[in-house]
Protein backbone atom coordinates (compact mmCIF):
# COMPACT_ATOMS: atom_id res chain seq x y z
CA UNK A 1 0.00 0.00 0.00
CA UNK A 2 1.27 3.45 -0.92
CA UNK A 3 2.47 5.67 1.90
CA UNK A 4 0.75 8.98 2.62
CA UNK A 5 3.80 10.75 1.20
CA UNK A 6 3.65 8.72 -2.03
CA UNK A 7 0.02 9.76 -2.35
CA UNK A 8 1.04 13.39 -1.82
CA UNK A 9 3.76 13.18 -4.49
CA UNK A 10 1.27 11.54 -6.87
CA UNK A 11 -1.24 14.36 -6.32
CA UNK A 12 -3.78 12.02 -4.72
CA UNK A 13 -3.64 13.88 -1.39
CA UNK A 14 -3.41 17.69 -1.43
CA UNK A 15 -0.30 19.47 -0.20
CA UNK A 16 1.43 22.82 -0.37
CA UNK A 17 3.96 21.91 -3.04
CA UNK A 18 7.33 23.63 -3.03
CA UNK A 19 9.41 21.80 -5.66
CA UNK A 20 9.62 18.65 -7.73
CA UNK A 21 11.85 16.83 -10.17
CA UNK A 22 11.73 13.30 -11.59
CA UNK A 23 13.09 11.75 -8.38
CA UNK A 24 12.18 14.02 -5.48
CA UNK A 25 9.29 16.10 -4.17
CA UNK A 26 9.16 18.91 -1.59
CA UNK A 27 6.12 20.26 0.25
CA UNK A 28 5.33 22.22 3.39
CA UNK A 29 5.00 20.32 6.65
CA UNK A 30 1.36 20.53 7.70
CA UNK A 31 2.39 21.08 11.36
CA UNK A 32 5.36 23.41 10.98
CA UNK A 33 7.79 24.14 13.79
CA UNK A 34 8.84 27.31 11.91
CA UNK A 35 7.57 29.30 8.94
CA UNK A 36 8.59 27.58 5.72
CA UNK A 37 9.20 24.15 7.33
CA UNK A 38 9.49 21.88 4.31
CA UNK A 39 9.79 18.13 3.78
CA UNK A 40 11.86 16.63 0.97
CA UNK A 41 11.00 13.07 -0.04
CA UNK A 42 12.13 10.60 -2.68
CA UNK A 43 9.31 9.55 -5.00
CA UNK A 44 10.62 6.01 -4.64
CA UNK A 45 9.26 4.43 -1.48
CA UNK A 46 12.01 3.88 1.05
CA UNK A 47 11.22 3.90 4.76
CA UNK A 48 14.58 4.78 6.28
CA UNK A 49 16.67 7.60 4.82
CA UNK A 50 19.93 5.78 5.47
CA UNK A 51 18.78 2.78 3.44
CA UNK A 52 18.93 4.98 0.31
CA UNK A 53 21.98 4.21 -1.81
CA UNK A 54 24.85 6.69 -1.79
CA UNK A 55 24.33 8.09 -5.28
CA UNK A 56 20.63 8.73 -4.75
CA UNK A 57 21.22 10.15 -1.28
CA UNK A 58 23.68 12.58 -2.85
CA UNK A 59 21.12 13.65 -5.42
CA UNK A 60 18.49 14.03 -2.70
CA UNK A 61 20.81 16.28 -0.70
CA UNK A 62 21.58 18.35 -3.81
CA UNK A 63 17.82 18.73 -4.38
CA UNK A 64 17.34 19.70 -0.71
CA UNK A 65 20.08 22.30 -1.11
CA UNK A 66 18.17 23.94 -3.97
CA UNK A 67 15.04 23.99 -1.81
CA UNK A 68 17.02 25.54 1.06
CA UNK A 69 18.33 28.29 -1.26
CA UNK A 70 14.74 29.09 -2.24
CA UNK A 71 13.67 29.14 1.43
CA UNK A 72 16.55 31.50 2.27
CA UNK A 73 15.43 33.83 -0.52
CA UNK A 74 11.93 34.35 0.88
CA UNK A 75 12.08 33.67 4.64
CA UNK A 76 14.06 35.75 7.10
CA UNK A 77 16.40 33.26 8.74
CA UNK A 78 20.00 32.79 9.77
CA UNK A 79 20.22 29.28 8.36
CA UNK A 80 18.11 26.48 7.04
CA UNK A 81 18.38 23.66 9.58
CA UNK A 82 18.09 20.03 8.55
CA UNK A 83 16.59 17.19 10.57
CA UNK A 84 15.81 13.55 9.94
CA UNK A 85 13.55 11.55 12.21
CA UNK A 86 10.94 9.48 10.43
CA UNK A 87 9.26 8.27 13.60
CA UNK A 88 5.80 9.20 12.36
CA UNK A 89 5.73 8.58 8.61
CA UNK A 90 7.51 5.48 7.20
CA UNK A 91 8.64 7.21 4.00
CA UNK A 92 12.09 8.77 4.09
CA UNK A 93 12.07 12.56 4.41
CA UNK A 94 14.36 15.44 5.26
CA UNK A 95 12.97 18.33 7.30
CA UNK A 96 14.30 21.71 6.07
CA UNK A 97 13.59 24.40 8.64
CA UNK A 98 14.41 28.11 8.33
CA UNK A 99 15.79 29.05 11.75
CA UNK A 100 16.84 32.15 13.65
CA UNK A 101 17.79 30.33 16.84
CA UNK A 102 18.37 26.81 18.11
CA UNK A 103 14.94 26.49 19.71
CA UNK A 104 13.27 26.97 16.30
CA UNK A 105 14.21 23.33 15.63
CA UNK A 106 12.32 22.04 18.67
CA UNK A 107 9.86 19.32 17.63
CA UNK A 108 8.43 18.49 21.04
CA UNK A 109 6.45 21.68 21.61
CA UNK A 110 3.38 23.41 20.19
CA UNK A 111 3.41 23.69 16.41
CA UNK A 112 2.71 26.92 14.52
CA UNK A 113 -0.91 27.57 13.66
CA UNK A 114 -0.93 28.70 10.03
CA UNK A 115 -4.03 28.81 7.86
CA UNK A 116 -4.22 27.00 4.53
CA UNK A 117 -4.04 30.43 2.86
CA UNK A 118 -0.86 31.33 4.74
CA UNK A 119 0.74 27.97 3.91
CA UNK A 120 -0.28 28.40 0.29
CA UNK A 121 1.32 31.84 0.12
CA UNK A 122 4.60 30.60 1.65
CA UNK A 123 4.71 27.57 -0.66
CA UNK A 124 4.12 29.76 -3.71
CA UNK A 125 6.89 32.15 -2.69
CA UNK A 126 9.40 29.33 -2.17
CA UNK A 127 8.30 27.58 -5.37
CA UNK A 128 8.84 30.77 -7.36
CA UNK A 129 12.42 31.00 -6.06
CA UNK A 130 13.27 27.35 -6.69
CA UNK A 131 15.92 27.07 -9.38
P1 LIG B 1 8.60 12.30 11.33
O1 LIG B 1 8.16 11.04 10.61
O2 LIG B 1 8.78 12.05 12.80
O3 LIG B 1 9.83 12.92 10.71
O4 LIG B 1 7.42 13.35 11.20
C1 LIG B 1 6.59 13.39 10.08
C2 LIG B 1 6.29 14.82 9.70
O5 LIG B 1 5.38 14.78 8.62
C3 LIG B 1 5.66 15.66 10.82
O6 LIG B 1 6.40 16.87 10.98
C4 LIG B 1 4.24 15.92 10.29
O7 LIG B 1 3.74 17.19 10.66
C5 LIG B 1 4.41 15.79 8.80
N1 LIG B 1 3.21 15.37 8.09
C6 LIG B 1 2.45 14.28 8.35
N2 LIG B 1 1.42 14.20 7.48
C7 LIG B 1 1.56 15.26 6.64
C8 LIG B 1 0.81 15.74 5.51
N3 LIG B 1 -0.28 15.11 5.07
N4 LIG B 1 1.24 16.87 4.90
C9 LIG B 1 2.33 17.52 5.32
N5 LIG B 1 3.08 17.11 6.37
C10 LIG B 1 2.70 16.00 7.02
Amino acid sequence: MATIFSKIAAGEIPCHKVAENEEFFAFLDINPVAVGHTLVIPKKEVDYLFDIDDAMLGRMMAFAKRVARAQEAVITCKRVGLAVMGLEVPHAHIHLIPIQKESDMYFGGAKLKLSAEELDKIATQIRNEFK
Side-chain angles (χ1 to χ4, degrees), residues 4-5 8 13-16 27-33 37-39 83-95 107 111:
I4 182 167
F5 284 176
I8 286 174
I13 291 178
C15 74
H16 301 281
F27 56 105
L28 292 185
D29 194 297
I30 201 75
N31 286 126
V33 298
H37 180 172
T38 296
L39 302 176
V84 174
M85 292 177 293
L87 295 174
E88 190 187 312
V89 179
H91 184 136
H93 51 281
I94 293 172
H95 295 256
F107 284 81
K111 302 293 171 17

Side-chain angles (χ1 to χ4, degrees), residues 50-119:
F50 296 124
D51 284 334
I52 294 174
D53 70 65
D54 293 359
M56 183 173 163
L57 196 56
R59 293 193 298 275
M60 187 170 172
M61 193 56 74
F63 181 85
K65 175 177 169 179
R66 290 164 63 200
V67 174
R69 291 291 184 232
Q71 290 171 300
E72 289 164 1
V74 297
I75 295 160
T76 305
C77 62
K78 282 198 176 142
R79 299 267 164 143
V80 171
L82 185 155
V84 174
M85 292 177 293
L87 295 174
E88 190 187 312
V89 179
H91 184 136
H93 51 281
I94 293 172
H95 295 256
L96 292 177
I97 305 171
I99 51 172
Q100 292 282 21
K101 55 189 185 308
E102 202 176 290
S103 58
D104 291 339
M105 294 272 298
Y106 181 56
F107 284 81
K111 302 293 171 17
L112 294 187
K113 294 265 178 286
L114 297 176
S115 66
E117 290 72 29
E118 288 169 312
L119 290 170

Side-chain angles (χ1 to χ4, degrees), residues 17-30:
K17 179 176 157 180
V18 161
E20 178 177 17
N21 70 5
E22 56 290 339
E23 265 190 310
F24 308 107
F25 192 90
F27 56 105
L28 292 185
D29 194 297
I30 201 75

